[in-house]
Amino acid sequence: MDSLFLFFVILCIAKLSPCFSSHVSLSVSPKNLSRSGDKVWIQWSGVESPSDLDWLGIYSPPDSTHDNFIGYVFLSSAEGWKTGAGAVELPLVNLRSNYAFRIFRWTRDEVDNKHHDHDQNPLRGRGIFWCFVNYGEEGRMDGMVKTEVTRYSRSDMCDAPANTSVAWRDPGFIHDGVMRNLKMGRRYYYRVGSDSKGWSSIKNFTSRDNNADETIAFLFGDMGAWAPYATFRRLQEESKTTVKWILRDIEALGNKPAFGYSWIWDEFFNQIEPIASQVPYHVCIGNHEYDWPLQPWKPSWSSASYGKDGGGECGVPYSLKFRMPGNSSLPTGAGAVDTKNLYYSFDSGPVHFLYISTETNFLPGSDQHNFIKHDLEGLDRGKTPFVVVQGHRPMYTTSNEVRDAPLRQKFQESLEPLLVENNVTLALWGHVHRYERFCPMKNFKCVDGPAGIRSGGAPVHVVIGMAGQDWQPVWEPRANHPDEPIFPQPEQSMYRGGEFGYTRLTATKEKLTLTYVGNHDGEVHDTLEILSGYGAQEHGDNDRGEVVVLGSPLSWYVKGASVLLLGGFVGYVLGFVSRCRREAAGGNSWTPVKSEEV
C-alpha cells in the first residue's frame, strides 16, 4: 500500500495580495491511497472575492519551495468557483514522497498577459510584480513609465564563492525605469511602486543641463559597504562617514544639479540610496566586480593582476544592476550575460567625462582602444575645455604595489599617448586605497612649461581610492633600504595621504576646482584650481606645504575598486529602484493562502 498522510497549514499571503479570511478551508480525501494512480478529492471553501487568478499548487515532496510546484490547477476550473468554494479530482502517482497542496492568489499587475500556459491560462512571469516610476515637476507628477525587469541566477555566476551555497543569495528582480522628455536644469519629483502594491516616498533630483556654465560632482573610489553584523567577508565601516559628508554637501547645493560615483549588494544599495535617489550615479568596473580565473582576456603579463577578486561574479550583478550610457559589452565566455558598462562618455557642462575599463582589453586594435581614440579626437574643446578620464587601476602610484607593475607599464605604452596627444586634463583612478595627486606627467616625469604653463598636454593624475576600504598598501620604500619603514615622497607626488574621504569638483568654462575632503573632520585638506588656459594652482595641507603653479586643465571624477560613481541622470532611477527589487524579492518567496499536505 502507498501511504499518503495529510495535514493542514494555514498561511496568509504577505505583500503579494490581501490576506484571505481565516475561514478558508482546504481538505483532501482519501488520506491514504492503495495504489499509484488513485484519485484524491481536493475541496476548498471560504475564499473571499474569488478571482480567476486563484490557483492550487501541487507539491512533492511537501517541503518544496513555493516556486517548485510539480503542477497547478486554477480554481476557476471548478464548478461554482465564484461562490468561493469548489473541488477538483486528481489522480496521484507514487512519487515515493508525500504530496502538499497550496492555494495562491495573484493580482492583475503580477501577471504577464503575454505569457500563458498551453491552456491559455495567464502565468505570473516568474514571480514578477510590475513596478512603475511616476514622475514630474512639482505639483504635476503626470509622467508614468513601466520598468524593464531583469534578473540573474546562481548558474550565471562563473566561479566560487559566488556560485556556492555560502555566498549565493537570490537577488530578486532588478527594475529599470527610464524617465523621458526631461527638461534640462529642472527639479523633478518621482516615486517608485504601483497602485496595488503601494508607492515609495517621493524623492527629487535636478536634471542635468548640458549647456550649464557650471558642473558639480562628488568623486570617490573603493568605498566598499557596511552592514550592522559580521560576515565571512570584511566590511568597511568607514564608508558610512563618506556617505554622511557627501549628503551634507548635496544638501548645501540646494537646487543646483550634481553627480558623482562611488550576498553584500543589497547592503550596498541600501547604503547609497540616500545619495543615488537624488543625484545621478555613474559607475566604472573594477577588479572586485569582474575578475575571475577564466576571464576571456588575460595575457600572460597580467597573471599577477587579474585573479579572483571578483568572487566569481564575473561582472553579472554589475552589468544588470546599473545602466550606463553607450552600448559597450563583452561576452563572458561562460554562458553568463555579457559584461556591460565597460567604457562610455558624456558631456556635463564644460567637462567631458570618459570612463574606461582597466579589466578588459585596452591594447591598440581593441574595441576599447578604438573607442577611446575616436572619443578624444572628436571633442570640441570650445564646448568642453576640461576633459577627465577615469579608470579603476591607476596608471601611476607611489604605493609599493608591485603586482600591477606590468599592467601600469601597458597603460603607459597603450593609453598614455592618447591622453597626452589629445590634451586630457585629468586622469582619476582608484584601486589603491589612498589619496595621491601628481604633477602633470608623461612617462612618470613632470611636464611643465615656462611659468608653470602646461607643456605637451600631459594630464594630472589623481588616485582617489580612499572612500572606505581600510586595507592600505605602504608607500614605496627606499630602493637601497627596502626593509626600513622610511618612504620618501617622489617629486612627482605633490600630495599623498592615508586619510579616508572623497573629492568634490566644481568647474566653469574658466576654472576647475578639485578639493579633497577628509572623513575625520569633514574639512578640505587639498585643493587644486585649474584655469581653462592651462594654468593651475594647488593648496594643500600636506608636509610640503607649498603653493605651486602647475599646468593642465584638471577635471573631476573618482573611481575605485568597488567603484561606483555618480553621473548624468539620463532618466533611469538607479539606487532607489532597490526598493522595487526588495519588494520583488519578497514576491519571489511566495506565501500560500492555504496549504495541505498528504
Side-chain angles (χ1 to χ4, degrees):
M1 174 183 291
D2 299 318
S3 178
L4 301 177
F5 175 71
L6 287 78
F7 65 89
F8 298 86
V9 179
I10 299 177
L11 294 176
C12 181
I13 288 186
K15 293 186 179 179
L16 291 182
S17 66
C19 293
F20 279 86
S21 165
S22 59
H23 298 297
V24 172
S25 66
L26 176 63
S27 64
V28 179
S29 63
K31 295 186 178 181
N32 295 284
L33 300 181
S34 61
R35 60 181 179 273
S36 181
D38 282 355
K39 295 180 179 179
V40 294
W41 188 250
I42 306 168
Q43 296 177 291
W44 64 89
S45 63
V47 176
E48 294 183 351
S49 303
S51 166
D52 59 352
L53 297 180
D54 297 340
W55 59 282
L56 175 78
I58 307 163
Y59 297 85
S60 184
D63 59 355
S64 301
T65 58
H66 296 321
D67 56 342
N68 282 327
F69 50 83
I70 63 173
Y72 57 92
V73 176
F74 279 88
L75 303 193
S76 58
S77 64
E79 185 177 351
W81 68 274
K82 291 185 178 180
T83 65
V88 293
E89 189 177 50
L90 298 175
L92 297 181
V93 298
N94 182 5
L95 296 181
R96 294 156 299 283
S97 178
N98 288 347
Y99 280 78
F101 303 90
R102 306 165 194 169
I103 292 179
F104 294 89
R105 166 165 291 178
W106 291 339
T107 58
R108 295 293 173 188
D109 59 357
E110 294 167 348
V111 171
D112 183 356
N113 290 322
K114 297 181 180 179
H115 188 200
H116 297 79
D117 65 13
H118 60 280
D119 293 323
Q120 297 306 304
N121 293 308
L123 296 179
R124 188 167 173 254
R126 300 179 68 190
I128 300 172
F129 96 89
W130 298 113
C131 188
F132 298 84
V133 181
N134 174 217
Y135 65 97
E137 296 185 63
E138 187 173 12
R140 55 183 187 90
M141 292 174 57
D142 51 3
M144 183 77 75
V145 294
K146 187 177 181 180
T147 61
E148 296 179 3
V149 184
T150 56
R151 63 173 285 124
Y152 57 91
S153 64
R154 183 170 171 175
S155 63
D156 290 319
M157 303 294 97
C158 298
D159 199 10
N163 59 5
T164 64
S165 58
V166 69
W168 168 255
R169 294 298 182 274
D170 191 320
F173 292 90
I174 302 165
H175 296 256
D176 191 2
V178 180
M179 293 184 283
R180 303 185 184 279
N181 301 317
L182 302 182
K183 299 176 182 177
M184 292 191 295
R186 301 286 187 91
R187 181 163 290 278
Y188 283 90
Y189 297 81
Y190 71 96
R191 58 180 182 167
V192 180
S194 68
D195 288 337
S196 63
K197 300 304 176 188
W199 293 92
S200 70
S201 60
I202 295 177
K203 306 290 183 178
N204 67 83
F205 65 93
T206 300
S207 59
R208 189 176 68 199
D209 187 348
N210 291 335
N211 299 318
D213 295 328
E214 184 180 39
T215 294
I216 301 172
F218 301 96
L219 322 166
F220 55 88
D222 298 77
M223 184 173 73
W226 179 82
Y229 47 78
T231 74
F232 64 94
R233 296 294 296 271
R234 186 173 182 173
L235 300 181
Q236 295 74 40
E237 187 171 3
E238 188 65 30
S239 60
K240 296 188 299 181
T241 308
T242 302
V243 171
K244 179 185 74 171
W245 291 125
I246 292 176
L247 287 174
R248 173 201 64 178
D249 289 351
I250 290 175
E251 183 177 353
L253 288 177
N255 289 329
K256 290 183 178 181
F259 63 104
Y261 75 101
S262 15
W263 240 63
I264 311 276
W265 278 104
D266 286 336
E267 294 290 354
F268 175 77
F269 275 103
N270 287 339
Q271 185 168 322
I272 68 167
E273 183 175 300
I275 297 173
S277 63
Q278 58 181 316
V279 295
Y281 207 87
H282 274 207
V283 299
C284 194
I285 197 166
N287 55 312
H288 289 293
E289 291 76 47
Y290 183 73
D291 292 8
W292 83 99
L294 296 179
Q295 62 192 81
W297 186 71
K298 195 173 183 178
S300 58
W301 47 262
S302 69
S303 58
S305 297
Y306 298 149
K308 299 181 178 181
D309 290 346
E313 290 185 342
C314 54
V316 173
Y318 168 84
S319 298
L320 295 181
K321 289 176 181 288
F322 298 101
R323 179 173 175 177
M324 297 298 105
N327 56 4
S328 62
S329 66
L330 181 70
T332 62
V337 299
D338 290 354
T339 308
K340 301 177 182 179
N341 307 318
L342 294 172
Y343 44 88
Y344 57 93
S345 67
F346 61 89
D347 294 341
S348 180
V351 183
H352 179 77
F353 297 101
L354 170 60
Y355 296 69
I356 68 174
S357 166
T358 60
E359 311 307 300
T360 56
N361 194 348
F362 54 81
L363 300 181
S366 66
D367 289 345
Q368 179 172 201
H369 192 276
N370 293 338
F371 175 86
I372 295 171
K373 185 175 186 297
H374 177 78
D375 183 81
L376 293 177
E377 291 178 350
L379 294 178
D380 180 356
R381 299 306 287 269
K383 179 182 178 182
T384 55
F386 301 107
V387 178
V388 180
V389 173
Q390 304 112 127
H392 181 63
R393 299 179 196 252
M395 186 178 295
Y396 291 107
T397 176
T398 63
S399 72
N400 196 27
E401 177 44 89
V402 297
R403 290 185 307 166
D404 279 354
L407 198 62
R408 290 196 293 271
Q409 180 179 348
K410 293 297 182 180
F411 289 160
Q412 293 162 22
E413 294 173 357
S414 303
L415 298 179
E416 186 171 58
L418 294 179
L419 306 188
V420 174
E421 293 167 8
N422 291 285
N423 297 314
V424 167
T425 306
L426 178 69
L428 295 171
W429 316 96
H431 193 60
V432 175
H433 304 158
R434 302 270 192 169
Y435 174 82
E436 184 170 25
R437 175 172 53 79
F438 292 90
C439 60
M441 283 198 308
K442 177 182 178 181
N443 195 25
F444 204 51
K445 295 180 180 179
C446 293
V447 180
D448 292 316
I453 300 302
R454 185 182 63 169
S455 174
V460 173
H461 291 259
V462 184
V463 177
I464 52 175
M466 67 299 183
Q469 289 279 358
D470 54 7
W471 182 87
Q472 294 185 326
V474 298
W475 300 113
E476 186 175 359
R478 294 175 296 174
N480 55 343
H481 297 283
D483 297 331
E484 296 181 6
I486 299 175
F487 312 106
Q489 185 171 355
E491 63 177 359
Q492 299 94 332
S493 177
M494 311 308 296
Y495 183 107
R496 69 182 188 182
E499 303 94 346
F500 294 106
Y502 63 98
T503 58
R504 188 171 58 212
L505 176 141
T506 304
T508 64
K509 283 196 173 183
E510 291 74 35
K511 182 177 69 174
L512 181 149
T513 302
L514 184 74
T515 57
Y516 165 41
V517 180
N519 276 0
H520 59 288
D521 58 4
E523 299 296 327
V524 173
H525 293 271
D526 186 40
T527 299
L528 178 66
E529 295 179 345
I530 297 178
L531 306 179
S532 59
Y534 299 144
Q537 289 186 329
E538 61 172 12
H539 312 280
D541 61 359
N542 61 335
D543 54 355
R544 300 196 170 190
E546 59 202 16
V547 176
V548 181
V549 177
L550 300 174
S552 169
L554 196 142
S555 178
W556 75 276
Y557 177 86
V558 160
K559 213 308 306 110
S562 288
V563 45
L564 296 171
L565 104 107
L566 297 80
F569 206 110
V570 184
Y572 33 85
V573 185
L574 292 176
F576 191 77
V577 124
S578 61
R579 177 183 186 274
C580 276
R581 187 184 64 255
R582 292 197 301 272
E583 294 286 353
N588 193 41
S589 179
W590 302 343
T591 303
V593 175
K594 194 76 171 179
S595 284
E596 173 120 353
E597 186 172 321
V598 297

